[in-house]
Amino acid sequence: MKYVDEFRDPTMIARAFEEIRTLADPARHYRIMEVCGGHTHAIFRFGLKDLLPPNVELIHGPGCPVCVLPMGRIDDGLELAGDPHVIFTAFGDMMRVPGSQGSPLESKARGADVRIVYSPLDALKIAEANPDRQVVFFAIGFETTAPSTALTLLKARANRVRNFAVFCNHVTIIPAIRAILDSPDMRLDGFIGPGHVSTVIGCRPYEFIVRDYGCPIAVSGFEPLDILQSLVMVLRQLRDGIAKVENQYARVVPWEGNLAALRVLAEVFEVRAHFEWRGMGFISHSALRLRGEFAEWDAERTLPIRGVCVADPKAAQCGEVLKGVLKPHQCKLFGKECTPEQPIGALMVSPEGACAAHFKYRGAPQLVTLG
Ligand code: SF4
């Protein structure tokens, strides 16, 4: 398959590992963060971590939007879902994410009208088909998914669909990366930059990482060779004592981003002053909200949302894992009280969650056979 087979080619992969071994100075320990949860899963799925030199350490970052959502936002959403007049819609990866009173799926089991949608447009269609009900779309994701929410809101306005509302939980990646870099308990040598979000925002927003922190970054695709080539780029910069933004994923990511998507984001959303991230506290300018022009479709303005703050269970160490301070298996609850069947944190159930990746693939790397 084009763009897949050549990025899983065993000979090329073996060569990339060899290059990494050559570039990595045995006298140094490298800590390189893969920002995106999709990368974390690929790293485990293909067993890449186990074949790297021991002094090249991969740190999992916060790039899983479901994982960074604080419990209070889930509780707020599920309170809406408890109203029999409401049809609550969300993406499938939200369904098992626990709030303090259970997950959307558990709410559904208790009788709430909770429905999985594949796109916010599906939620809008449900609203058009049910004019006597209030349909709420629980919007979540980085800049990757926010344009589809924005386009849906434009359509809701054009079609005058009054019984549709968006509970906006879209977050933005750059302030989270800055918060990690400013964290006193974190030392990083470089980044594997998030590929999905960069298809929208491009590469230029990462320049502050180079300018203000002197860290190299390579925006990366998700196949094994993509990730290894990105590591080569970062290690080469470190060897040469330089720092720049490189785009390994140029077959998908335009340097300036997707201008049409950025335009629609700017038309519908504005940046919030601050937003709570799970385990990371409030981060300034790190999330989106609907502009005033879209107030009548904004669940936070038109529906009873309390804006509750709920502390994580005491023993859960989701915040430390999200910041890369702890590895998932170092959380006291990993694989014991917290499992995919009985999750305590979203990281254990999200398809992009670091704990889910550790749990699913530990000791079972797949697919890459070095020939
Ligand atoms: S094991 Fe569970 S509680 Fe611990 S960090 Fe992962 S998701 Fe959070």
Side-chain angles (χ1 to χ4, degrees):
M1 193 191 300
K2 191 166 161 57
Y3 294 135
V4 174
D5 292 346
E6 63 266 49
F7 288 92
R8 296 184 183 182
D9 180 274
T11 310
M12 300 280 285
I13 287 172
R15 249 188 240 141
F17 272 120
E18 192 47 46
E19 200 167 354
I20 287 170
R21 278 189 281 273
T22 309
L23 285 166
D25 176 352
R28 274 188 80 169
H29 186 89
Y30 300 89
R31 289 170 54 85
I32 298 170
M33 175 174 276
E34 85 274 3
V35 175
C36 178
H39 285 142
T40 305
H41 274 255
I43 286 162
F44 278 91
R45 181 177 171 213
F46 295 111
L48 304 182
K49 185 177 109 20
D50 303 325
L51 296 169
L52 290 173
N55 61 332
V56 178
E57 185 185 357
L58 293 175
I59 311 288
H60 318 314
C64 161
V66 171
C67 305
V68 299
L69 194 69
M71 276 212 198
R73 301 291 288 188
I74 300 165
D75 284 4
D76 281 339
L78 293 185
E79 244 180 73
L80 294 178
D83 179 342
H85 181 59
V86 165
I87 301 174
F88 180 88
T89 61
F91 293 142
D93 54 1
M94 269 307 299
M95 286 297 140
R96 297 192 55 237
V97 175
S100 70
Q101 308 299 319
S103 65
L105 212 52
E106 286 166 314
S107 279
K108 187 177 171 69
R110 288 195 289 265
D113 193 344
V114 172
R115 303 187 193 182
I116 294 176
V117 289
Y118 294 100
S119 146
L121 281 172
D122 292 345
L124 186 62
K125 276 188 205 143
I126 293 172
E128 287 172 316
N130 295 273
D132 54 337
R133 305 276 301 278
Q134 172 69 57
V135 173
V136 176
F137 175 61
F138 191 88
I140 187 164
F142 286 99
E143 290 93 333
T144 326
T145 52
S148 62
T149 305
L151 285 169
T152 303
L153 282 159
L154 289 172
K155 193 162 183 194
R157 184 172 68 175
N159 293 359
R160 300 175 192 282
V161 185
R162 306 283 180 218
N163 62 323
F164 175 72
V166 167
F167 182 24
C168 185
N169 294 282
H170 285 299
V171 285
T172 57
I173 193 68
I174 297 298
I177 295 178
R178 190 182 281 281
I180 284 171
L181 283 163
D182 286 339
S183 170
D185 47 4
M186 177 53 72
R187 180 191 69 77
L188 291 172
D189 297 294
F191 286 94
I192 294 176
H196 294 139
V197 75
S198 305
T199 59
V200 174
I201 67 172
C203 297
R204 204 173 286 284
Y206 304 116
E207 286 173 350
F208 80 96
I209 297 175
V210 169
R211 188 184 60 241
D212 300 346
Y213 300 91
C215 257
I217 173 168
V219 172
S220 178
F222 294 87
E223 294 299 328
L225 194 55
D226 285 318
I227 295 168
L228 296 176
Q229 284 176 345
S230 302
L231 273 172
V232 166
M233 287 171 162
V234 169
L235 289 169
R236 200 181 285 141
Q237 289 189 47
L238 290 168
R239 181 201 60 189
D240 296 343
I242 58 171
K244 58 183 176 179
V245 182
E246 289 191 88
N247 186 8
Q248 184 279 333
Y249 205 22
R251 68 185 186 278
V252 174
V253 173
W255 186 266
E256 299 294 345
N258 181 329
L259 299 182
L262 290 170
R263 259 194 309 276
V264 86
L265 286 182
E267 183 178 352
V268 173
F269 295 115
E270 60 190 11
V271 175
R272 290 178 195 260
H274 47 72
F275 191 77
E276 186 187 359
W277 289 55
R278 187 169 199 159
M280 296 170 73
F282 284 86
I283 303 178
S284 301
H285 306 130
S286 65
L288 304 175
R289 57 173 285 167
L290 273 59
R291 287 188 179 279
E293 299 93 289
F294 293 88
E296 59 183 295
W297 293 275
D298 185 350
E300 287 175 273
R301 288 172 165 120
T302 59
L303 299 174
I305 292 178
R306 289 191 295 139
V308 292
C309 281
V310 180
D312 281 343
K314 251 203 175 102
Q317 294 177 288
C318 306
E320 282 91 335
V321 174
L322 279 168
K323 286 189 287 186
V325 175
L326 287 185
K327 301 271 191 261
H329 65 275
Q330 292 171 323
C331 169
K332 292 191 274 291
L333 306 184
F334 180 87
K336 293 182 275 237
E337 289 88 344
C338 186
T339 63
E341 287 74 34
Q342 296 287 334
I344 291 184
L347 291 80
M348 192 52 101
V349 279
S350 166
E352 293 190 316
C355 298
H358 269 250
F359 196 94
K360 187 169 178 186
Y361 296 116
R362 63 184 170 172
Q366 298 174 359
L367 289 176
V368 173
T369 309
L370 296 180

